[in-house]
Amino acid sequence: MRICSAPAIGLLSILALAGSAMGQCNQSKEASSCTKKGDTSVVHVGMVHEKDGPNIVEVATKAGTFKTLTAALTAAGLVDALSGEGPFTVFAPTDEAFAKLPKGTVESLLLPENKGKLVSILKYHVVKGAVKADKVVGLTNAATLNGQRVDVSVKESTVSIDKSKVTKTDIEASNGVIHVIDTVLMPEMNNIVETAVAAKFTTLVSLVKAAGLAEALSGEGPLTVFAPTDEAFAKLPKETLAMLGTPEGKDTLAAILKYHVVAGRVYSDDAAKLTEAKTLNGQSFKIKKDGKNLMIDGAKVAKADIETSNGVIHVIDTVILPK
């Protein structure tokens, strides 16, 4: 997902997100703060108020403008989770926001056979931690319960979550806070292999299939793939590339491809803080910053943070080889 820059904000209307650093802060009834070393963003996290009022689902139900959202939460089996202790920050699309979706989309999502997709979409609207609008400075993104990140951007007095505008902030609940948005947020629904096919990583996809790894890279994950372009594979000697595509070269091919895969979602800003990462091959590759470039062994990350439903892809300009 594209990372949008946001300046330090002091506006009362700014929407605050709980970023990935938030999960490391201690929650308490009193406001607390957490500053991550090496990160310019400062996150102040506080409980909204005592555990004695209506919870998020009850507040949304009583409001009368979130009927589609509450119906979707029921169909997805998420009512109990969002009625629990939390705390959560929910970016709540109004009924009008759901009405913007193509005709028949909501009805389709509410069908039992589409429950998994519905759960993924709804979790993409929820961030851990209860954060009011004036408590976060300089965040550009935040990790959702879906696993993917939403982008946060600020232009003048308008705050956007991905491409959705925030229309109302700080609706308090006993277990968190609701911020109203005008458009339903949509996570990436294609998995790593599907995304690679759509992006025309022709050589990589064909080799992944030849190595018998397509099913693994299409599974639940999450996984991070450092994906060489067709041009990167073309740098290899022709005889090497030809050998890797044969049955005899299958084990070597699998070992090389697994050296490009790391467990978990590792975004570029997180990778930049590391010096190495262990791969599914069992070996570790080196990571370093070279000016503005992120280097993986001798390969440069040409494009970072391509979201998929089961992980993230970083495009690299050279095939990296295990020892």
PDB file of all heavy atoms in Angstrom, residues 292-322:
ATOM      1  N   LYS A 292      18.940   6.570   0.368  1.00  0.00           N
ATOM      2  CA  LYS A 292      17.495   6.388   0.403  1.00  0.00           C
ATOM      3  C   LYS A 292      17.083   4.974   0.002  1.00  0.00           C
ATOM      4  O   LYS A 292      15.902   4.625   0.058  1.00  0.00           O
ATOM      5  CB  LYS A 292      16.812   7.399  -0.523  1.00  0.00           C
ATOM      6  CG  LYS A 292      16.955   8.844  -0.071  1.00  0.00           C
ATOM      7  CD  LYS A 292      16.204   9.777  -1.021  1.00  0.00           C
ATOM      8  CE  LYS A 292      16.319  11.218  -0.568  1.00  0.00           C
ATOM      9  NZ  LYS A 292      15.573  12.143  -1.482  1.00  0.00           N
ATOM     10  N   ASN A 293      18.053   4.167  -0.412  1.00  0.00           N
ATOM     11  CA  ASN A 293      17.751   2.831  -0.914  1.00  0.00           C
ATOM     12  C   ASN A 293      17.821   1.782   0.182  1.00  0.00           C
ATOM     13  O   ASN A 293      18.706   1.815   1.036  1.00  0.00           O
ATOM     14  CB  ASN A 293      18.718   2.445  -2.035  1.00  0.00           C
ATOM     15  CG  ASN A 293      18.584   3.329  -3.249  1.00  0.00           C
ATOM     16  OD1 ASN A 293      17.480   3.704  -3.629  1.00  0.00           O
ATOM     17  ND2 ASN A 293      19.705   3.684  -3.860  1.00  0.00           N
ATOM     18  N   LEU A 294      16.891   0.847   0.144  1.00  0.00           N
ATOM     19  CA  LEU A 294      16.914  -0.302   1.033  1.00  0.00           C
ATOM     20  C   LEU A 294      17.516  -1.462   0.261  1.00  0.00           C
ATOM     21  O   LEU A 294      17.030  -1.819  -0.821  1.00  0.00           O
ATOM     22  CB  LEU A 294      15.491  -0.646   1.493  1.00  0.00           C
ATOM     23  CG  LEU A 294      15.336  -1.813   2.469  1.00  0.00           C
ATOM     24  CD1 LEU A 294      16.040  -1.497   3.794  1.00  0.00           C
ATOM     25  CD2 LEU A 294      13.862  -2.108   2.716  1.00  0.00           C
ATOM     26  N   MET A 295      18.589  -2.032   0.802  1.00  0.00           N
ATOM     27  CA  MET A 295      19.316  -3.091   0.116  1.00  0.00           C
ATOM     28  C   MET A 295      19.093  -4.432   0.809  1.00  0.00           C
ATOM     29  O   MET A 295      19.177  -4.536   2.039  1.00  0.00           O
ATOM     30  CB  MET A 295      20.811  -2.778   0.070  1.00  0.00           C
ATOM     31  CG  MET A 295      21.150  -1.421  -0.526  1.00  0.00           C
ATOM     32  SD  MET A 295      20.658  -1.246  -2.257  1.00  0.00           S
ATOM     33  CE  MET A 295      21.706  -2.491  -3.040  1.00  0.00           C
ATOM     34  N   ILE A 296      18.802  -5.465   0.023  1.00  0.00           N
ATOM     35  CA  ILE A 296      18.639  -6.836   0.510  1.00  0.00           C
ATOM     36  C   ILE A 296      19.764  -7.645  -0.104  1.00  0.00           C
ATOM     37  O   ILE A 296      19.744  -7.916  -1.307  1.00  0.00           O
ATOM     38  CB  ILE A 296      17.270  -7.415   0.108  1.00  0.00           C
ATOM     39  CG1 ILE A 296      16.141  -6.480   0.524  1.00  0.00           C
ATOM     40  CG2 ILE A 296      17.093  -8.803   0.701  1.00  0.00           C
ATOM     41  CD1 ILE A 296      16.039  -6.231   2.018  1.00  0.00           C
ATOM     42  N   ASP A 297      20.757  -8.054   0.695  1.00  0.00           N
ATOM     43  CA  ASP A 297      22.011  -8.563   0.153  1.00  0.00           C
ATOM     44  C   ASP A 297      22.478  -7.536  -0.883  1.00  0.00           C
ATOM     45  O   ASP A 297      22.646  -6.383  -0.551  1.00  0.00           O
ATOM     46  CB  ASP A 297      21.840  -9.964  -0.439  1.00  0.00           C
ATOM     47  CG  ASP A 297      21.848 -11.048   0.653  1.00  0.00           C
ATOM     48  OD1 ASP A 297      22.144 -10.725   1.829  1.00  0.00           O
ATOM     49  OD2 ASP A 297      21.564 -12.211   0.336  1.00  0.00           O
ATOM     50  N   GLY A 298      22.643  -7.920  -2.140  1.00  0.00           N
ATOM     51  CA  GLY A 298      23.090  -6.951  -3.138  1.00  0.00           C
ATOM     52  C   GLY A 298      21.975  -6.389  -3.992  1.00  0.00           C
ATOM     53  O   GLY A 298      22.234  -5.693  -4.976  1.00  0.00           O
ATOM     54  N   ALA A 299      20.735  -6.675  -3.628  1.00  0.00           N
ATOM     55  CA  ALA A 299      19.593  -6.232  -4.435  1.00  0.00           C
ATOM     56  C   ALA A 299      18.978  -4.970  -3.847  1.00  0.00           C
ATOM     57  O   ALA A 299      18.875  -4.811  -2.637  1.00  0.00           O
ATOM     58  CB  ALA A 299      18.543  -7.331  -4.504  1.00  0.00           C
ATOM     59  N   LYS A 300      18.552  -4.073  -4.744  1.00  0.00           N
ATOM     60  CA  LYS A 300      17.896  -2.847  -4.309  1.00  0.00           C
ATOM     61  C   LYS A 300      16.381  -3.025  -4.360  1.00  0.00           C
ATOM     62  O   LYS A 300      15.845  -3.582  -5.317  1.00  0.00           O
ATOM     63  CB  LYS A 300      18.300  -1.677  -5.216  1.00  0.00           C
ATOM     64  CG  LYS A 300      17.694  -0.342  -4.820  1.00  0.00           C
ATOM     65  CD  LYS A 300      18.226   0.794  -5.676  1.00  0.00           C
ATOM     66  CE  LYS A 300      17.650   0.761  -7.068  1.00  0.00           C
ATOM     67  NZ  LYS A 300      18.069   1.930  -7.874  1.00  0.00           N
ATOM     68  N   VAL A 301      15.712  -2.559  -3.317  1.00  0.00           N
ATOM     69  CA  VAL A 301      14.246  -2.560  -3.320  1.00  0.00           C
ATOM     70  C   VAL A 301      13.790  -1.431  -4.236  1.00  0.00           C
ATOM     71  O   VAL A 301      13.982  -0.252  -3.943  1.00  0.00           O
ATOM     72  CB  VAL A 301      13.682  -2.379  -1.899  1.00  0.00           C
ATOM     73  CG1 VAL A 301      12.159  -2.249  -1.954  1.00  0.00           C
ATOM     74  CG2 VAL A 301      14.082  -3.559  -1.020  1.00  0.00           C
ATOM     75  N   ALA A 302      13.184  -1.822  -5.355  1.00  0.00           N
ATOM     76  CA  ALA A 302      12.765  -0.842  -6.353  1.00  0.00           C
ATOM     77  C   ALA A 302      11.371  -0.308  -6.068  1.00  0.00           C
ATOM     78  O   ALA A 302      11.046   0.825  -6.430  1.00  0.00           O
ATOM     79  CB  ALA A 302      12.803  -1.479  -7.743  1.00  0.00           C
ATOM     80  N   LYS A 303      10.545  -1.121  -5.443  1.00  0.00           N
ATOM     81  CA  LYS A 303       9.198  -0.708  -5.060  1.00  0.00           C
ATOM     82  C   LYS A 303       8.820  -1.470  -3.809  1.00  0.00           C
ATOM     83  O   LYS A 303       8.982  -2.688  -3.745  1.00  0.00           O
ATOM     84  CB  LYS A 303       8.191  -0.982  -6.184  1.00  0.00           C
ATOM     85  CG  LYS A 303       6.791  -0.445  -5.902  1.00  0.00           C
ATOM     86  CD  LYS A 303       5.866  -0.655  -7.091  1.00  0.00           C
ATOM     87  CE  LYS A 303       4.486  -0.084  -6.814  1.00  0.00           C
ATOM     88  NZ  LYS A 303       3.565  -0.279  -7.976  1.00  0.00           N
ATOM     89  N   ALA A 304       8.314  -0.750  -2.813  1.00  0.00           N
ATOM     90  CA  ALA A 304       8.058  -1.369  -1.509  1.00  0.00           C
ATOM     91  C   ALA A 304       6.576  -1.392  -1.172  1.00  0.00           C
ATOM     92  O   ALA A 304       5.774  -0.645  -1.731  1.00  0.00           O
ATOM     93  CB  ALA A 304       8.824  -0.613  -0.417  1.00  0.00           C
ATOM     94  N   ASP A 305       6.242  -2.298  -0.261  1.00  0.00           N
ATOM     95  CA  ASP A 305       4.943  -2.292   0.426  1.00  0.00           C
ATOM     96  C   ASP A 305       3.742  -2.478  -0.499  1.00  0.00           C
ATOM     97  O   ASP A 305       2.756  -1.745  -0.426  1.00  0.00           O
ATOM     98  CB  ASP A 305       4.785  -1.004   1.239  1.00  0.00           C
ATOM     99  CG  ASP A 305       5.876  -0.825   2.268  1.00  0.00           C
ATOM    100  OD1 ASP A 305       6.350  -1.847   2.796  1.00  0.00           O
ATOM    101  OD2 ASP A 305       6.263   0.322   2.549  1.00  0.00           O
ATOM    102  N   ILE A 306       3.824  -3.473  -1.356  1.00  0.00           N
ATOM    103  CA  ILE A 306       2.666  -3.841  -2.164  1.00  0.00           C
ATOM    104  C   ILE A 306       1.824  -4.791  -1.319  1.00  0.00           C
ATOM    105  O   ILE A 306       2.237  -5.909  -1.011  1.00  0.00           O
ATOM    106  CB  ILE A 306       3.079  -4.530  -3.474  1.00  0.00           C
ATOM    107  CG1 ILE A 306       3.949  -3.582  -4.314  1.00  0.00           C
ATOM    108  CG2 ILE A 306       1.853  -4.968  -4.266  1.00  0.00           C
ATOM    109  CD1 ILE A 306       4.536  -4.234  -5.554  1.00  0.00           C
ATOM    110  N   GLU A 307       0.650  -4.339  -0.922  1.00  0.00           N
ATOM    111  CA  GLU A 307      -0.209  -5.133  -0.044  1.00  0.00           C
ATOM    112  C   GLU A 307      -0.819  -6.318  -0.795  1.00  0.00           C
ATOM    113  O   GLU A 307      -1.161  -6.225  -1.972  1.00  0.00           O
ATOM    114  CB  GLU A 307      -1.354  -4.279   0.502  1.00  0.00           C
ATOM    115  CG  GLU A 307      -0.930  -3.187   1.464  1.00  0.00           C
ATOM    116  CD  GLU A 307      -0.831  -3.675   2.899  1.00  0.00           C
ATOM    117  OE1 GLU A 307      -0.714  -4.903   3.118  1.00  0.00           O
ATOM    118  OE2 GLU A 307      -0.871  -2.824   3.798  1.00  0.00           O
ATOM    119  N   THR A 308      -0.969  -7.430  -0.093  1.00  0.00           N
ATOM    120  CA  THR A 308      -1.742  -8.565  -0.579  1.00  0.00           C
ATOM    121  C   THR A 308      -2.593  -9.061   0.578  1.00  0.00           C
ATOM    122  O   THR A 308      -2.387  -8.673   1.738  1.00  0.00           O
ATOM    123  CB  THR A 308      -0.839  -9.709  -1.086  1.00  0.00           C
ATOM    124  OG1 THR A 308      -0.275 -10.407   0.033  1.00  0.00           O
ATOM    125  CG2 THR A 308       0.278  -9.196  -1.976  1.00  0.00           C
ATOM    126  N   SER A 309      -3.525  -9.946   0.287  1.00  0.00           N
ATOM    127  CA  SER A 309      -4.403 -10.436   1.346  1.00  0.00           C
ATOM    128  C   SER A 309      -3.661 -11.273   2.371  1.00  0.00           C
ATOM    129  O   SER A 309      -4.097 -11.385   3.523  1.00  0.00           O
ATOM    130  CB  SER A 309      -5.544 -11.264   0.741  1.00  0.00           C
ATOM    131  OG  SER A 309      -5.026 -12.420   0.084  1.00  0.00           O
ATOM    132  N   ASN A 310      -2.538 -11.869   1.981  1.00  0.00           N
ATOM    133  CA  ASN A 310      -1.809 -12.755   2.895  1.00  0.00           C
ATOM    134  C   ASN A 310      -0.362 -12.326   3.104  1.00  0.00           C
ATOM    135  O   ASN A 310       0.484 -13.139   3.460  1.00  0.00           O
ATOM    136  CB  ASN A 310      -1.863 -14.200   2.399  1.00  0.00           C
ATOM    137  CG  ASN A 310      -1.183 -14.399   1.059  1.00  0.00           C
ATOM    138  OD1 ASN A 310      -1.022 -13.449   0.290  1.00  0.00           O
ATOM    139  ND2 ASN A 310      -0.782 -15.625   0.757  1.00  0.00           N
ATOM    140  N   GLY A 311      -0.083 -11.045   2.882  1.00  0.00           N
ATOM    141  CA  GLY A 311       1.274 -10.581   3.131  1.00  0.00           C
ATOM    142  C   GLY A 311       1.595  -9.312   2.385  1.00  0.00           C
ATOM    143  O   GLY A 311       0.713  -8.529   2.029  1.00  0.00           O
ATOM    144  N   VAL A 312       2.874  -9.132   2.124  1.00  0.00           N
ATOM    145  CA  VAL A 312       3.341  -7.912   1.462  1.00  0.00           C
ATOM    146  C   VAL A 312       4.471  -8.276   0.505  1.00  0.00           C
ATOM    147  O   VAL A 312       5.235  -9.221   0.754  1.00  0.00           O
ATOM    148  CB  VAL A 312       3.802  -6.863   2.511  1.00  0.00           C
ATOM    149  CG1 VAL A 312       4.956  -7.371   3.343  1.00  0.00           C
ATOM    150  CG2 VAL A 312       4.158  -5.538   1.849  1.00  0.00           C
ATOM    151  N   ILE A 313       4.547  -7.551  -0.612  1.00  0.00           N
ATOM    152  CA  ILE A 313       5.584  -7.782  -1.619  1.00  0.00           C
ATOM    153  C   ILE A 313       6.462  -6.542  -1.724  1.00  0.00           C
ATOM    154  O   ILE A 313       5.966  -5.417  -1.755  1.00  0.00           O
ATOM    155  CB  ILE A 313       4.966  -8.075  -3.000  1.00  0.00           C
ATOM    156  CG1 ILE A 313       4.174  -9.380  -2.974  1.00  0.00           C
ATOM    157  CG2 ILE A 313       6.052  -8.142  -4.080  1.00  0.00           C
ATOM    158  CD1 ILE A 313       3.408  -9.665  -4.261  1.00  0.00           C
ATOM    159  N   HIS A 314       7.787  -6.774  -1.782  1.00  0.00           N
ATOM    160  CA  HIS A 314       8.740  -5.723  -2.099  1.00  0.00           C
ATOM    161  C   HIS A 314       9.440  -6.140  -3.396  1.00  0.00           C
ATOM    162  O   HIS A 314       9.939  -7.262  -3.506  1.00  0.00           O
ATOM    163  CB  HIS A 314       9.775  -5.547  -0.992  1.00  0.00           C
ATOM    164  CG  HIS A 314       9.197  -5.311   0.370  1.00  0.00           C
ATOM    165  ND1 HIS A 314       8.455  -4.193   0.670  1.00  0.00           N
ATOM    166  CD2 HIS A 314       9.230  -6.058   1.501  1.00  0.00           C
ATOM    167  CE1 HIS A 314       8.075  -4.252   1.940  1.00  0.00           C
ATOM    168  NE2 HIS A 314       8.524  -5.378   2.457  1.00  0.00           N
ATOM    169  N   VAL A 315       9.473  -5.267  -4.359  1.00  0.00           N
ATOM    170  CA  VAL A 315      10.097  -5.575  -5.652  1.00  0.00           C
ATOM    171  C   VAL A 315      11.601  -5.306  -5.565  1.00  0.00           C
ATOM    172  O   VAL A 315      12.031  -4.246  -5.105  1.00  0.00           O
ATOM    173  CB  VAL A 315       9.493  -4.715  -6.776  1.00  0.00           C
ATOM    174  CG1 VAL A 315      10.101  -5.082  -8.120  1.00  0.00           C
ATOM    175  CG2 VAL A 315       7.977  -4.888  -6.805  1.00  0.00           C
ATOM    176  N   ILE A 316      12.425  -6.273  -6.012  1.00  0.00           N
ATOM    177  CA  ILE A 316      13.877  -6.097  -6.000  1.00  0.00           C
ATOM    178  C   ILE A 316      14.432  -6.248  -7.415  1.00  0.00           C
ATOM    179  O   ILE A 316      13.829  -6.886  -8.275  1.00  0.00           O
ATOM    180  CB  ILE A 316      14.589  -7.082  -5.043  1.00  0.00           C
ATOM    181  CG1 ILE A 316      14.214  -8.529  -5.359  1.00  0.00           C
ATOM    182  CG2 ILE A 316      14.223  -6.747  -3.600  1.00  0.00           C
ATOM    183  CD1 ILE A 316      14.958  -9.556  -4.500  1.00  0.00           C
ATOM    184  N   ASP A 317      15.586  -5.631  -7.652  1.00  0.00           N
ATOM    185  CA  ASP A 317      16.128  -5.552  -9.001  1.00  0.00           C
ATOM    186  C   ASP A 317      17.142  -6.628  -9.335  1.00  0.00           C
ATOM    187  O   ASP A 317      17.687  -6.673 -10.444  1.00  0.00           O
ATOM    188  CB  ASP A 317      16.739  -4.177  -9.251  1.00  0.00           C
ATOM    189  CG  ASP A 317      17.991  -3.912  -8.405  1.00  0.00           C
ATOM    190  OD1 ASP A 317      18.338  -4.741  -7.534  1.00  0.00           O
ATOM    191  OD2 ASP A 317      18.632  -2.861  -8.629  1.00  0.00           O
ATOM    192  N   THR A 318      17.424  -7.526  -8.364  1.00  0.00           N
ATOM    193  CA  THR A 318      18.412  -8.583  -8.558  1.00  0.00           C
ATOM    194  C   THR A 318      17.964  -9.830  -7.811  1.00  0.00           C
ATOM    195  O   THR A 318      17.436  -9.722  -6.691  1.00  0.00           O
ATOM    196  CB  THR A 318      19.787  -8.137  -8.020  1.00  0.00           C
ATOM    197  OG1 THR A 318      20.172  -6.907  -8.641  1.00  0.00           O
ATOM    198  CG2 THR A 318      20.859  -9.188  -8.289  1.00  0.00           C
ATOM    199  N   VAL A 319      18.170 -10.991  -8.393  1.00  0.00           N
ATOM    200  CA  VAL A 319      17.878 -12.238  -7.701  1.00  0.00           C
ATOM    201  C   VAL A 319      18.932 -12.439  -6.626  1.00  0.00           C
ATOM    202  O   VAL A 319      20.130 -12.317  -6.881  1.00  0.00           O
ATOM    203  CB  VAL A 319      17.907 -13.432  -8.681  1.00  0.00           C
ATOM    204  CG1 VAL A 319      17.682 -14.743  -7.925  1.00  0.00           C
ATOM    205  CG2 VAL A 319      16.864 -13.252  -9.769  1.00  0.00           C
ATOM    206  N   ILE A 320      18.485 -12.677  -5.383  1.00  0.00           N
ATOM    207  CA  ILE A 320      19.437 -12.925  -4.297  1.00  0.00           C
ATOM    208  C   ILE A 320      19.614 -14.438  -4.135  1.00  0.00           C
ATOM    209  O   ILE A 320      18.657 -15.200  -4.255  1.00  0.00           O
ATOM    210  CB  ILE A 320      18.980 -12.260  -2.981  1.00  0.00           C
ATOM    211  CG1 ILE A 320      17.559 -12.694  -2.592  1.00  0.00           C
ATOM    212  CG2 ILE A 320      19.049 -10.754  -3.102  1.00  0.00           C
ATOM    213  CD1 ILE A 320      17.089 -12.148  -1.270  1.00  0.00           C
ATOM    214  N   LEU A 321      20.828 -14.854  -3.882  1.00  0.00           N
ATOM    215  CA  LEU A 321      21.151 -16.284  -3.857  1.00  0.00           C
ATOM    216  C   LEU A 321      21.627 -16.703  -2.480  1.00  0.00           C
ATOM    217  O   LEU A 321      22.479 -16.028  -1.878  1.00  0.00           O
ATOM    218  CB  LEU A 321      22.219 -16.607  -4.898  1.00  0.00           C
ATOM    219  CG  LEU A 321      21.822 -16.304  -6.354  1.00  0.00           C
ATOM    220  CD1 LEU A 321      23.014 -16.502  -7.274  1.00  0.00           C
ATOM    221  CD2 LEU A 321      20.659 -17.189  -6.792  1.00  0.00           C
ATOM    222  N   PRO A 322      21.111 -17.819  -1.961  1.00  0.00           N
ATOM    223  CA  PRO A 322      21.561 -18.312  -0.660  1.00  0.00           C
ATOM    224  C   PRO A 322      23.014 -18.778  -0.753  1.00  0.00           C
ATOM    225  O   PRO A 322      23.557 -18.985  -1.842  1.00  0.00           O
ATOM    226  CB  PRO A 322      20.611 -19.469  -0.365  1.00  0.00           C
ATOM    227  CG  PRO A 322      20.128 -19.915  -1.710  1.00  0.00           C
ATOM    228  CD  PRO A 322      20.083 -18.675  -2.553  1.00  0.00           C
TER     229      PRO A 322
END
